[in-house]
Amino acid sequence: MNDDMQPVHILLAEDTPTDAEMTLRALKKVGLVNNITWVKDGQEALDYIFRKGDFANRVTGDPTLIMLDLKMPKVNGLEVLKTIKTTDTTKLIPVIMLTSSAEEPDIVRCYEHGVNSYIVKPVESDRFFEEVSKAGFYWAILNRIPGAR
Amino acid sequence: MADVNDAESAQRAYLITSDESFLQAHHDVVTRLPDEISKLRYLTKDNLEQKELIDILQELIDTRMRALRWGIDMLADRGAISSDEVMRLVGGSGKQAMLRMRGHAEYMIALEDKLLGERAREVEAKASSTKLWILFGNFVAIALLLSALWLILLEIKHRKVAQRSIEKTAAQLALTNKELESFSYSVSHDLRSPLRAIDGYSRMFEEDFADRLDDEGRRLLAVIRVSSKKMGQLIDDLLAFSRMGRKPVDAAKVDMNALVDDVWAEVCTSCRTTLPLKKTNLPVAWGDRALLRQVLMNLLANAVKYSSKKTEQIIEITAKQNEHEVVYTVRDNGVGFDMRFYNKLFGVFQRLHTENEYPGTGVGLAIAQRVIVRHGGRIWAESKPDEYTIFHFSLPKEVTP
């Protein structure tokens, strides 16, 4: 990557460890490995974003890009998205859905609640690594993110 | 009675004057009398007593008339009658007979008056009973109306119960359907995740340990990856099948000629050479274009696939229509199938050929059937192994499915 790379911190909310590991590996391919935090459900994601619970005293940076799985235990991705987009301090953070669902109603609901991008995880691994790497590269590196510190 | 009197007067006058004109008057009466009597009989025919009385009256009249005749005949024979003889003839027994006759007639009249009175009373009685009957009739009519009303109300109640039961069944069916859809939806999605891991981790293993793997190790990994891809395809097809059941049918007129050309162009991108499709002019269909496209795609791709081992592939699409429906027919000269397994033909994931012979997941015909059934049509097939396979599907004309 180039020298004037914007500082990014990615929050990845993914309940499936294998999907999480593969996503991290795909992001690593484009040099995005050191500034990623992985949480395992929607509640953890909200705790991290709003410095609550286990993350009340976190030292890692505030997220500048959030990747959400849709189907997660406790609080699902759509609810996390709604909270982020209806809170003044977080509503400008780009949110990408990274999900297995290609169902139209899911896509529509996410856009209705202000999602910035919607990506369907391919089942086939070659395509999975390729597409997740591309998405990471575009959103974290090419795309200008507001309030990046 | 007056007639007999007239006859008598005329006879008497004739006897006295021998004037032929009086005789004529007498004759008039004589010819009129039987008519008058029979008229009287007719008028009183319902009364046995009067009949007997008339018989007696007739006898009296006959006797009297015979006596009168006799007088006239006598005058005719002799040319003249002495006044004594006239007096004897017209008076005495003649007068008596007349009196008896008159008395008899008066009795008859009195009897008839009495009868009239009785009839009047009878009519009056009948009138009041008629009123009762009318009242009774009205009552019966009202009763009938009320029972009809009751029956109608009962029928309405029955229908309401039946309606509710239908609604309940429909609701249950909708629920079951929804549950089934969400079941297949979540199964498909939940299956994808471990599958992605199998394929993804095989790839990661291959990437990270490539230098430590020999040919056999790479072969085993390749099998894992091919199998997981295959399963991914199955899940995608299952999802497509499930989606097909949920997508509402958006029916409109569909130009089947254009649609078939369009589909054929897509199918033929995977054909070994440019393959002609024999096509007759196809009638317009009534249905959801996207869904019908899927059906044609599945049927035509199958036709190409299953005839691919023939030296000359012959594929054709034709159509027939009647008043209610259009039947489209796709025919190929391919490998065909054994009609003994026909009941498996349209089943999900059912295949009549091995994966190695002809690749596929066995969802195409299940989707085709589902689409056609949702359009209110039918799909069926016939085949002779190694000779032909024919698929027919019908679509109703302009009805909302």
Side-chain angles (χ1 to χ4, degrees):
Chain A
M1 303 309 115
N2 53 37
D3 292 336
D4 59 358
M5 198 175 83
Q6 58 188 341
V8 285
H9 191 92
I10 299 169
L11 176 69
L12 171 68
E14 169 65 71
D15 65 315
T16 314
T18 49
D19 276 3
E21 189 177 344
M22 286 166 68
T23 304
L24 294 175
R25 189 180 176 107
L27 294 175
K28 192 175 149 190
K29 285 176 190 282
V30 286
L32 289 168
V33 75
N34 295 321
N35 31 14
I36 300 173
T37 302
W38 167 41
V39 292
K40 293 171 190 65
D41 61 55
Q43 186 57 55
E44 278 191 22
L46 290 174
D47 285 351
Y48 184 92
I49 296 164
F50 298 104
R51 292 179 182 272
K52 286 176 188 165
D54 290 347
F55 300 97
N57 303 307
R58 64 172 159 88
V59 291
T60 44
D62 284 341
T64 53
L65 180 67
I66 298 169
M67 291 179 161
L68 294 176
D69 187 11
L70 206 48
K71 206 178 146 205
M72 288 188 289
K74 296 179 196 169
V75 180
N76 68 35
L78 189 68
E79 290 169 282
V80 177
L81 172 70
K82 279 190 215 172
T83 308
I84 294 167
K85 292 299 182 185
T86 52
T87 305
D88 280 344
T89 53
T90 54
K91 67 180 179 190
L92 295 180
I93 304 172
V95 179
I96 302 166
M97 303 313 292
L98 206 56
T99 172
S100 298
S101 173
E103 299 297 309
E104 183 71 8
D106 285 341
I107 300 171
V108 170
R109 267 196 294 274
C110 286
Y111 275 97
E112 276 171 355
H113 290 97
V115 81
N116 298 83
S117 184
Y118 191 105
I119 291 161
V120 180
K121 291 185 273 194
V123 173
E124 209 221 309
S125 63
D126 292 342
R127 280 182 55 216
F128 179 91
F129 287 115
E130 191 190 328
E131 288 174 23
V132 175
S133 295
K134 273 183 186 165
F137 181 75
Y138 174 80
W139 279 102
I141 297 158
L142 284 184
N143 190 52
R144 186 61 62 179
I145 296 166
R149 282 154 280 188
Chain B
M1 204 62 241
D3 285 340
V4 182
N5 233 344
D6 288 350
E8 182 144 1
S9 308
Q11 184 243 22
R12 196 185 304 158
Y14 172 62
L15 289 184
I16 295 167
T17 62
S18 301
D19 185 339
E20 289 283 331
S21 67
F22 289 120
L23 189 63
Q24 186 57 49
H26 174 80
H27 275 303
D28 285 351
V29 174
V30 169
T31 47
R32 203 158 67 219
L33 259 174
D35 271 358
E36 294 289 328
I37 300 267
S38 65
K39 218 185 268 177
L40 199 61
R41 274 187 197 282
Y42 175 76
L43 286 172
T44 57
K45 67 174 182 205
D46 55 333
N47 192 318
L48 207 70
E49 199 184 347
Q50 289 286 37
K51 185 178 175 284
E52 278 166 14
L53 291 172
I54 288 169
D55 287 346
I56 295 167
L57 181 68
Q58 176 139 39
E59 221 179 285
L60 288 172
I61 290 171
D62 287 351
T63 314
R64 188 68 198 133
M65 291 307 282
R66 268 199 304 280
L68 294 178
R69 185 74 235 168
W70 182 70
I72 292 166
D73 290 347
M74 197 157 73
L75 180 66
D77 285 351
R78 297 204 212 146
I81 297 174
S82 70
S83 56
D84 280 355
E85 270 173 324
V86 171
M87 280 312 290
R88 195 164 46 86
L89 277 170
V90 303
S93 67
K95 206 166 190 172
Q96 250 175 13
M98 269 318 280
L99 280 172
R100 265 177 64 202
M101 221 158 38
R102 190 160 287 145
H104 186 77
E106 272 161 12
Y107 174 68
M108 279 178 72
I109 290 164
L111 192 71
E112 203 46 33
D113 281 349
K114 188 178 145 232
L115 210 66
L116 199 68
E118 274 171 17
R119 290 223 171 129
R121 275 192 299 283
E122 228 169 82
V123 166
E124 224 167 90
K126 269 188 184 161
S128 66
S129 90
T130 304
K131 276 181 198 158
L132 274 173
W133 275 106
I134 289 171
L135 262 173
F136 177 72
N138 279 339
F139 175 76
V140 168
I142 289 167
L144 277 171
L145 267 174
L146 282 174
S147 54
L149 191 71
W150 181 73
L151 279 173
I152 289 169
L153 286 173
L154 203 71
E155 179 65 19
I156 289 172
K157 199 180 154 196
H158 281 319
R159 285 198 183 180
K160 273 185 182 163
V161 169
Q163 177 78 19
R164 267 200 294 277
S165 134
I166 288 168
E167 278 167 9
K168 209 172 145 191
T169 313
Q172 275 171 349
L173 216 67
L175 190 72
T176 311
N177 217 12
K178 211 176 159 189
E179 275 173 357
L180 216 67
E181 295 301 345
S182 78
F183 172 77
S184 65
Y185 172 83
S186 53
V187 161
S188 306
H189 279 83
D190 294 345
L191 282 178
R192 275 168 183 272
S193 196
L195 190 63
R196 189 158 46 235
I198 294 168
D199 194 32
Y201 278 66
S202 310
R203 187 193 144 117
M204 279 149 68
F205 186 77
E206 206 175 10
E207 273 178 4
D208 295 353
F209 298 92
D211 54 339
R212 275 172 275 175
L213 281 177
D214 59 8
D215 285 352
E216 181 61 2
R218 277 189 290 275
R219 188 187 70 83
L220 296 178
L221 264 180
V223 171
I224 294 172
R225 296 199 59 198
V226 166
S227 301
S228 64
K229 274 197 184 74
K230 168 76 185 156
M231 189 166 167
Q233 189 58 52
L234 286 169
I235 291 169
D236 284 348
D237 287 354
L238 189 64
L239 262 185
F241 180 65
S242 160
R243 210 176 286 131
M244 213 56 85
R246 280 175 292 145
K247 192 180 176 295
V249 176
D250 188 8
K253 274 185 181 165
V254 178
D255 179 353
M256 289 296 265
N257 290 308
L259 188 61
V260 166
D261 289 344
D262 182 28
V263 168
W264 187 249
E266 196 175 324
V267 168
C268 268
T269 52
S270 56
C271 291
R272 50 183 178 186
T273 52
T274 33
L275 185 62
L277 172 68
K278 287 188 183 175
K279 178 168 77 79
T280 57
N281 188 41
L282 303 171
V284 164
W286 180 256
D288 186 310
R289 193 178 193 277
L291 293 178
L292 292 183
R293 187 178 202 286
Q294 190 64 55
V295 172
L296 287 171
M297 179 66 87
N298 294 355
L299 292 181
L300 290 174
N302 274 356
V304 171
K305 178 163 73 181
Y306 291 107
S307 61
S308 60
K309 288 178 185 171
K310 290 270 168 164
T311 41
E312 194 199 355
Q313 286 174 278
I314 302 167
I315 296 157
E316 57 184 30
I317 182 162
T318 53
K320 267 184 194 164
Q321 58 182 325
N322 62 34
E323 203 185 326
H324 311 289
E325 59 179 16
V326 188
V327 178
Y328 299 91
T329 301
V330 176
R331 184 192 170 108
D332 69 71
N333 65 335
V335 67
F337 60 86
D338 191 332
M339 286 296 275
R340 278 183 300 162
F341 306 117
Y342 183 79
N343 60 339
K344 291 186 172 182
L345 195 63
F346 295 100
V348 185
F349 293 144
Q350 293 284 358
R351 302 211 61 217
L352 301 182
H353 300 279
T354 66
E355 178 74 33
N356 286 342
E357 285 177 307
Y358 299 96
T361 56
V363 174
L365 288 179
I367 288 178
Q369 186 187 44
R370 193 154 191 180
V371 169
I372 295 303
V373 168
R374 291 194 67 208
H375 276 78
R378 297 164 294 132
I379 185 165
W380 67 102
E382 49 194 295
S383 182
K384 195 172 179 192
D386 272 323
E387 285 192 21
Y388 63 84
T389 301
I390 304 169
F391 277 93
H392 308 275
F393 66 90
S394 71
L395 291 171
K397 284 183 173 175
E398 289 238 6
V399 288
T400 32

